[in-house]
């Protein structure tokens, strides 16, 4: 049954345990395929032959805002406490809004909602470079996340977040990006400063859902428009410092130091 069309403000979680995403001591530990109860309760999935997977809510669920898209650290999470970490990486004012679209009636216990529950939450406007942390408690269901600035959702700043028991542990912990590779993610370059030996080919990979460019300030290299999933590489034969930006989103800046 669809939720009622009334709107209530989401109560922010003040409990330290909830804000950290801890499981109540009397709650049974859930089980995931490939992990035992204790490891899953800690938000980790052990693996003998691969990197650990952790609960994407651990440390806050990251949302990146920019012109005109929202990047999600994960689009599926488990019910209960979550702290949204919203970062405006764009050059315009944006704002976080979340509204329930569909209640999961099969999970109305702790962390769940009844068949007439519904809510909508709207945060404060965020200027370029601003960030906010918003803790809340989400029952199982389907939620729409969007920028509340008029017209921005129509331009692509919206997405769906599914909250359900057993949502996968999706964040893969790996060694920091290194070598000659830069990832374009959450409207930023990671790492923002890359150091490589002279003669190296540096590679940029667009992992965002929106196009970007890699354009040198001095005009020595330019990727052109990189669609989502596209790569760009260029060789740096001479020692020096090279500054670059995304021409579509000029607040995105990076540096290559050639030694």
């Amino acid at each position: 049954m669809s939720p009622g069309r009334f709107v209530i403000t989401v109560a922010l979680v003040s409990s330290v345990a909830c804000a950290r995403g801890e499981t109540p001591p009397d709650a049974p530990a859930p089980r995931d395929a490939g992990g035992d109860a204790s490891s899953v309760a800690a938000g980790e999935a052990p693996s003998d032959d691969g990197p650990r997977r952790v609960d994407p809510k651990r440390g806050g669920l990251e949302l990146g805002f920019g012109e005109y898209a929202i990047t999600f650290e994960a689009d599926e999470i488990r019910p209960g406490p979550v702290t949204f970490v919203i970062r405006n990486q764009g050059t315009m004012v944006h704002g976080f809004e979340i509204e329930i679209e569909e209640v999961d009636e099969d999970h109305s216990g702790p962390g769940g909602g009844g068949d007439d529950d519904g809510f909508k939450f709207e945060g404060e406007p965020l200027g370029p470079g601003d960030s906010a942390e918003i803790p809340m408690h989400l029952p199982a269901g389907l939620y729409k996340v969007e920028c509340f600035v008029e017209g921005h959702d129509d331009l692509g700043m919206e997405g769906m977040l599914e909250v359900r028991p057993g949502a996968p542990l999706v964040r893969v912990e790996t060694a920091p990006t290194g070598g000659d590779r830069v990832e374009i993610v959450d409207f930023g370059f990671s790492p923002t400063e890359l150091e490589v030996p002279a003669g190296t080919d540096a590679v940029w990979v667009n992992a965002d859902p929106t196009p970007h460019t890699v354009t040198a300030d001095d005009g020595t290299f330019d990727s052109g428009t990189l669609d989502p999933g596209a790569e760009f590489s260029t060789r740096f034969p001479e020692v020096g410092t090279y500054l670059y930006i995304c021409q579509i989103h000029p607040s995105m800046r990076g540096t290559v130091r050639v030694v």
Side-chain angles (χ1 to χ4, degrees), residues 34-241:
D36 60 24
S38 60
S39 64
V40 173
E44 300 179 0
S47 174
D48 294 333
D49 55 1
R52 291 185 302 123
R53 294 178 300 143
V54 301
D55 190 329
K57 295 192 299 179
R58 192 178 75 169
L61 188 71
E62 299 268 354
L63 298 179
F65 280 47
E67 293 84 52
Y68 290 97
I70 300 176
T71 61
F72 289 75
E73 181 179 348
D75 57 12
E76 292 182 66
I77 61 172
R78 301 179 183 191
V82 57
T83 296
F84 289 98
V85 181
I86 301 102
R87 305 184 192 280
N88 183 0
Q89 308 282 17
T91 60
M92 304 173 64
V93 172
H94 296 297
F96 168 74
E97 178 179 301
I98 183 170
E99 181 175 10
I100 195 163
E101 294 282 298
E102 178 182 326
V103 174
D104 186 345
E105 298 178 22
D106 294 332
H107 304 281
S108 56
D115 60 6
D116 60 357
D117 287 340
F119 68 77
K120 176 178 179 179
F121 174 82
E122 186 175 295
E124 297 294 329
L126 298 174
D130 288 348
S131 63
E133 295 189 7
I134 303 176
M136 58 180 63
H137 193 285
L138 295 182
L142 186 64
Y143 296 79
K144 183 178 182 180
V145 177
E146 64 182 5
C147 174
F148 61 66
V149 176
E150 184 176 2
H152 286 192
D153 55 344
D154 294 332
L155 292 171
M157 294 193 68
E158 62 179 14
M160 304 304 296
L161 175 68
E162 183 178 5
V163 180
R164 63 178 179 86
L169 304 176
V170 295
R171 182 194 285 169
V172 178
E173 290 193 338
T174 59
T177 301
D180 58 1
R181 183 182 177 91
V182 177
E183 189 173 54
I184 305 173
V185 61
D186 290 338
F187 294 89
F189 298 107
S190 179
T192 56
E193 184 172 313
L194 181 70
E195 184 173 286
V196 296
T200 298
D201 288 337
V203 180
W204 286 260
V205 181
N206 185 6
D208 261 354
T210 191
H212 294 292
T213 77
V214 179
T215 306
D217 285 2
D218 62 5
T220 53
F221 57 89
D222 184 5
S223 67
T225 300
L226 291 176
D227 290 326
E231 297 187 4
F232 165 72
S233 65
T234 189
R235 178 163 296 181
F236 291 90
E238 299 181 1
V239 172
T241 299

